[in-house]
Amino acid sequence: MINSRNLPFALLLLAAVALSMIWPRLPMSGDPNPLASIPSEGFDLKSRDVELSELEKKWLGGASGLKRIFSHGSRLWLLAVTDGTKNRQSVHDPTYCFLGEGWKIIARSEVPLAGGSATLVTMSRNAESSQALYWFFDGDAPFASVPEFWIKSTVRRLTRGLSGPEPLLFILRPLGPPSDQWIASASEAAPLFLPSSVKK
Amino acid sequence: MNTPRPTPWWFFACTLAMGILLSAGLITAWTRDPSNRFGGMAFAIWVAGCTFLAWYSRPLPARTGVWVASLALLVLGELGTFQAIKHAALALLLPSLCRRPLAFGCMAIAAASWTPAWGWVFSHSFGTPLDMMRPLFVLACFAAARLA
């Protein structure tokens, strides 16, 4: 079956299997717990952590997650941050989660945020309406693009962390019905949610 | 005179097995994610279509270059934990058994119908999931492959 003529194929297969098994086990450089560097308070900003439900923990599947209620002036927001270092598949387009919760996506647009950009999702469920703002952040500027997250997180794994830190997924939602001004105030407050070393 | 190099079918079989094993997450995507509805059905039609075309392509063509490229994509997808790259490998592997290059191309393109990545691109661009368009697209590609 395997002779000198098809030995290269056998070696290729062997190398592929060995590489697939060894590479993911190599140590990854970078902060092992980036969620710890997310500030819990700042100027006119206070917060309290919310425990993740069993279902949320199950969906994270080994990834790290954080849920925090922030108060900024008279406004209340729920911030959810996911770090997919230990399970990249747990970080995906958040509109999947909104659809899973029974929301219908009405509109999606990109808005400027803290020197970068975020995606604003407007959704409805029965007579209820809501909005959410989401962005990715890897220490440079927030970005809204899911493909950019795919590329950055893939290159990070291929280089075992040498290409840069893991992009975190931030989802910010107003508690209660969204007011017209919430995006403006969220954009203003967003730098306070980002790890302190990279505030813009 | 050189004797022809024997086709390493075991290499194809091992790469295919690896592709199926590493793409097992597809089942979760098709069954749990509303934007991937009908993906499983599209995949079943695609596999049946590729098998049918391969059956009429006997003796099967040995596209060793495609197989090696698929293996490279599988490894890249596994090391980068990027499912879409592994799906691309599977999308090339099975249609490589079609003898006519156009049929191979049609069925490789048809594979887009069952991939979650294409579902995401479509729903993100047009605001609506692919749904029944997935199996219909495979059937259209299969018809084109038959005519090729």
Side-chain angles (χ1 to χ4, degrees), chain B residues 55-66:
Chain B
W55 182 261
Y56 285 99
S57 296
R58 288 171 300 157
L60 295 173
R63 287 200 169 91
T64 48
V66 175

Side-chain angles (χ1 to χ4, degrees), chain A residues 1-2 5-6 9-10 12-13 16-17 19-20 23 59 88-89 93 96 99 108 146-147 150 154 157-158, chain B residues 3-6 8 10-11 14-15 18 32-33 35 64 68 71 75-76 78-83 120 123-124:
Chain A
M1 195 162 108
I2 297 172
R5 280 175 171 268
N6 55 29
F9 291 105
L12 265 178
L13 259 179
V17 172
L19 206 58
S20 303
W23 197 262
W59 276 104
R88 184 187 170 281
Q89 308 310 324
D93 186 340
Y96 286 158
L99 290 169
R108 191 166 17 198
V146 176
W150 289 343
T154 299
R157 276 154 184 78
L158 289 173
Chain B
T3 53
R5 185 185 282 260
W10 54 268
F11 178 75
C14 289
T15 310
M18 197 169 158
R32 288 198 191 162
D33 178 2
S35 65
T64 48
V68 171
L71 182 68
V75 173
L76 194 68
E78 182 63 8
L79 303 192
T81 337
F82 196 0
Q83 302 299 318
W120 180 85
S123 62
H124 199 77

